[in-house]
Amino acid sequence: MASNTSYCNHSSALSLPPMPCESKGLIEIPTLTSFLCHHIYRSPFISSLASYPVARPQVVYADYFKTKCQTTHLTSFSSGFFVAPNSIDFSYVFANMGFADNLTINITLILCLATLLCMMVWARLKDKKDLTKLGASPMTDNKAEDKYLYEMMVFTGDKVEAQTDSVVQFILSGEDDETDIRVLEDSTRKILQKGAVDIFIMAVPRPLGSLEFLRIWHDNSGKGPNASWYLSYIVLKDLQTGDKFTFVAEKWFGIEKGDGEIDKLITVAGKEQMTNFTHLFNVSSSKSFTDGHLWFSVFLRPPRCQRLGSCFALLYLSMVVNAMWYQTVPESPGTGGLQLGPFSLSPEQIGVGVMSNLIIFIPSLIIVQLFRKARPRTLRKSRVQEALEKTRKIPSNKNQTLENETIKRPLSSVTTSSDAIIKRRKKKSTLPWWTRIIAWILVWVCILASITFVYFYGISFGNTKATKWVTSLVISFFSSVLFVQPIKIVLVTLFVSLISKPDNLDDDDADEDEEDPELESDEAWLHPKVGGPRESKMTHKKTDPVALQRHREQRQKELEMHAIIKELLSYFIFLWLLYILSYGNRNPNDFYLNQSLMQSFINEDAIDESKDFTKVTDTSALWNYFMDAFLEALRTKELYNGAPPLGLKGFFKDTVNRILGYATIRQIRTKENTCR
């Protein structure tokens, strides 16, 4: 082939000159005709290399089936969308499996596996402890003869110091009746904690009708920051009819926070209040953070073992995918790439991203959905049923006749024991219990398979490259946990609060794993009593404003004291750090060095005044000082025993300190009485 315009000659050797370069790229292109060589030379890409004759591709071999071209232009002009992963040379891997030779990858895998096992034990213990928090607490002032039930869900806010130890009381008013003063308390567990959801079962003699008002307050009996309380909202559910009523507060109940009030009247929320941005943002952000954050949810919400297994399966899959395409994609986009300022995107990067997501997220999504949808092997006893059993143990008033024995009602209005069932909510579709076993099998298969391939890749990389890979992996992990996941939560929260605006964020899925509650065979749900509402036996006493002001002033003094203590502590820490930075790195021998130099060269208060630098006042005295004192001390001469100073070249006369370089004299002009 003599020129660029001729066609490939398959019958004779190619007459092109050899390529004068060190790096050559080979491209094998299958072809059926010799026209391909001419097409490559005439393509727009090759035509752009007219000014670079060395970079133009040269045909080095051609036959009937393929043509091999050679070029020094290292950009891709014939490439695919998908990038092949790093290969594993198993013969090299099995020949170099020494622990010391692959220290980085071995320590990384051991630490990750040990962390998984330790956290799994911790998560199992926490899951057992969380079982005590499940269920609903019957209100301590429930009466055995009261059979009409309401479920009360109290959502404490997620703000700092939102919890309280004060005694919370309330009065609930409806169209038909209102309750006496009721108390929120539980003798077996702490309630009203930060970000917690506490469920109570309230028994009343008869339906209250459509709920309208909730008056709620506390007695400010908690100590310090546990006296105040931030109430997010309260959901009351009529367990007989299934009607739900929401009371949105989003307010502080504290003498030193908010408006300083601890007694508030809250009206039932309508559609506008339920979709208010502040309420939706607070509720959605708290729910997303505890349930949507991949890693933080392990510490904040059960079931922790399942969440931990899903997280580590995702982590190990990410590790193996990161190793498969580590340093295979060029940083700068090649042909067909997109460059937007400092950001670049190439087809290869898109292909690697697509394949990585397929490998990581498909197994992870299957595992998560199996854990979420699998129903328990045996359903827990209903929290309402447990509350009813505890309420039945309360001694009833023998002087009071049960209302269902004294009230005459039409047969149609009576709920018999055969159908005396609380209105059931339509449950979500679930999977069989054994799908949870499949999920655990997938978790450990993903973890063990990923560990195997990561180990092989680590040996193939070598210890140096494996160290760089582990470093990039750690940075990627923490950036995902601390930046990517929180940003995702914020964006999802903003979308829910501004655009979606759902009104069912308070839905509780705990009863999906519970049995349906039923009454005993001799009990029935009561209906409204004829004759109007009953008289309240308890009256709410308003808080004494004088006492409230006294408590407020006392709390303000406590806060000021805490602020002063914090400021003093921070000041002491600042002084300690300043002292450490200023004097911590100073060698205590500096003092002795300074004293030695002063005695050798300054000679203050010397008997011979010609050797005392502080007595130098004119040029004659300076000359005598240099000749009698400075030069004598600058170099080592004979030792005290008359021996020559062998091996002490460059040392001062004290034979301890050594001068680096040469002594220099610098004249500094200063004004009189400006320095000592």
Side-chain angles (χ1 to χ4, degrees), residues 188-201:
T188 60
R189 56 187 175 185
K190 289 185 72 67
I191 59 173
L192 307 180
Q193 298 300 297
K194 174 185 174 183
V197 181
D198 299 291
I199 305 175
F200 301 90
I201 300 299

